[in-house]
Amino acid sequence: MSGDDSIKFMRRCIELAGKAEGMTYPNPMVGSVIVHNGVITGEGYHLKAGAPHAEVLAIESVKDKKSLRSSTLYVNLEPCSHQGKTPPCADLIVSHRIPEVVIGTVDTSSKVAGRGIERLRDAGCRIVTGILEDECRYLNRRFFTFHERNRPYIILKWAQSADGFIDITRNESTAQGPNWITGKPERVLVHRWRAAEQAILAGAGTIRQDNPRLDVREWSGKNPVRIILSGSGNLGKKLAVTELIGSNIVFTSNGKANIPGALMVKLDSDLTAAKQISSWLFEKGIQSLIVEGGAQTINHFIKSDLWDEARIFSGFGSFRNGIRAPVVEGKIEALVSYGLSSLKILVNERN
């Protein structure tokens, strides 16, 4: 198979895998295709934990199983070699005598860590690795960050005015609710982002002033676990987050907050809150977190250098005064224009 063909088929694996974004936790996103004589004869992708893996579905979809003995299996992540909720994919590949397996990137988690490739090679399979490796790792950046850095993948998100303010100056007479900088398309996009992450965090100021729901009502998907950072635990009354199904977790200095039924986590005053939240989420198996405000909370994560992506909307209107937006430096990953704003996505090159 030529190099161009390998890239083409690996791109299809990535495309398939991405269909399940936000649904596979704690598993990675994986897509697989079977190619016979240059033609795709089977494909599949992992939908959710406990469901069949991508390689299983791809093999099952091939009508002529005898053709597998002269086919190539493509997969964006190393096939598993351990017994979990499903049998090892490496064993299934071997049992069908598939002679060649092309892998986008190695699975660095402790349960696999090259043992899937070793199993296939020991059985006589020809292995090709590193096809679109950077793209394959980026697809599963949450999974890799969790297993390699022992923390969730952290995304910072905010919207700022054209003159660099995240909000107007508020007082007791200011109406509660968000001061919109972006339009409807951007807000739908943000809800799509939320559906892809396991947890969402906002500071006490944002909860009191905007009273956000922190859900995915504008998109189809599962609401992330809602996390609130509040030193005092004083968050006001009639909070929208208490009206929704799902978990509320509050990190406070005193271990108390006025949210009925919420899980309280007391912060250690000798350690940074960002580090404690990151470590706690890792211990609970949560692989990703999106931080949506306010400025003080976002700046705290920036100062702690605990962030991987920053997604910044810049509106076309000006506030002239108010709360200054956070400032962060990183590699520009994307620039997109919308009707009422522009979006810049940065990645932290130190991570």
Side-chain angles (χ1 to χ4, degrees):
M1 195 70 65
S2 71
D4 288 345
D5 285 340
S6 291
I7 290 173
K8 176 180 71 175
F9 295 131
M10 190 58 67
R11 287 203 189 282
R12 178 57 179 165
C13 291
I14 294 171
E15 179 183 12
L16 288 167
K19 292 177 181 290
E21 186 178 45
M23 298 187 290
T24 65
Y25 294 114
N27 294 347
M29 292 177 279
V30 183
S32 180
V33 299
I34 309 289
V35 177
H36 185 257
N37 292 334
V39 177
I40 293 177
T41 57
E43 59 182 29
Y45 64 94
H46 183 51
L47 182 58
K48 62 180 181 179
H53 288 190
E55 301 95 319
V56 175
L57 295 175
I59 290 171
E60 287 181 350
S61 69
V62 174
K63 294 181 179 179
D64 180 8
K65 295 296 190 289
K66 291 182 179 179
S67 69
L68 290 169
R69 299 183 183 183
S70 54
S71 296
T72 299
L73 183 145
Y74 288 81
V75 62
N76 60 286
L77 187 69
E78 175 185 359
C80 64
S81 55
H82 63 285
Q83 176 70 49
K85 292 183 179 180
T86 59
C89 291
D91 287 354
L92 179 66
I93 294 168
V94 170
S95 70
H96 282 281
R97 301 182 186 178
I98 299 174
E100 183 177 50
V101 179
V102 179
I103 299 167
T105 188
V106 173
D107 183 340
T108 57
S109 66
S110 60
K111 290 183 177 180
V112 183
R115 287 185 287 275
I117 291 174
E118 182 181 4
R119 171 74 179 96
L120 293 170
R121 279 184 174 147
D122 288 346
C125 290
R126 179 175 179 267
I127 303 297
V128 178
T129 59
I131 303 300
L132 296 182
E133 183 170 13
D134 288 346
E135 293 182 33
C136 290
R137 281 188 60 87
Y138 183 77
L139 173 73
N140 279 307
R141 57 199 182 278
R142 303 164 181 90
F143 178 81
F144 285 117
T145 297
F146 183 83
H147 287 284
E148 296 174 2
R149 296 182 174 273
N150 296 333
R151 67 166 177 81
Y153 188 86
I154 299 174
I155 299 166
L156 310 179
K157 172 264 166 185
W158 71 88
Q160 61 188 41
S161 64
D163 50 353
F165 294 97
I166 199 171
D167 199 0
I168 58 174
T169 302
R170 305 217 188 192
N171 53 45
E172 293 183 0
S173 64
T174 306
Q176 188 184 54
N179 187 27
W180 293 115
I181 294 173
T182 59
K184 178 76 173 194
E186 296 97 308
R187 294 198 286 274
V188 172
L189 176 61
V190 169
H191 285 231
R192 176 186 172 188
W193 288 345
R194 291 176 180 176
E197 312 309 331
Q198 281 191 284
I200 184 170
L201 183 147
T206 297
I207 297 296
R208 287 192 293 264
Q209 294 163 5
D210 293 349
N211 195 21
R213 294 176 63 178
L214 303 178
D215 64 0
V216 297
R217 61 192 179 277
E218 300 285 358
W219 194 258
S220 176
K222 184 178 180 181
N223 287 333
V225 173
R226 297 179 292 274
I227 299 173
I228 299 169
L229 175 59
S230 172
S232 67
N234 181 18
L235 299 168
K237 300 178 180 179
K238 296 183 180 180
L239 300 178
V241 292
T242 64
E243 301 171 0
L244 303 172
I245 296 173
S247 302
N248 290 313
I249 302 170
V250 183
F251 286 81
T252 72
S253 298
N254 56 22
K256 300 178 181 179
N258 57 327
I259 297 186
L263 174 64
M264 303 296 161
V265 181
K266 186 176 180 179
L267 292 167
D268 186 336
S269 60
D270 293 331
L271 302 172
T272 65
K275 177 62 176 177
Q276 292 178 75
I277 292 169
S278 175
S279 297
W280 190 91
L281 292 177
F282 174 75
E283 291 174 2
K284 299 301 179 183
I286 294 178
Q287 294 184 7
S288 66
L289 171 69
I290 183 167
V291 182
E292 289 204 22
Q296 182 177 352
T297 298
I298 292 172
N299 278 324
H300 174 61
F301 276 83
I302 293 172
K303 184 178 179 180
S304 302
D305 200 25
L306 276 172
W307 67 280
D308 298 285
E309 286 185 39
R311 301 174 180 178
I312 308 162
F313 289 102
S314 295
F316 299 144
S318 297
F319 285 172
R320 298 185 180 179
N321 58 61
I323 300 172
R324 281 288 177 187
V327 176
V328 67
E329 294 182 357
K331 177 184 176 183
I332 297 177
E333 185 71 19
L335 293 169
V336 185
S337 293
Y338 293 90
L340 297 179
S341 72
S342 62
L343 168 65
K344 178 168 62 176
I345 298 179
L346 303 177
V347 295
N348 189 344
E349 292 187 286
R350 291 184 298 274
N351 292 332

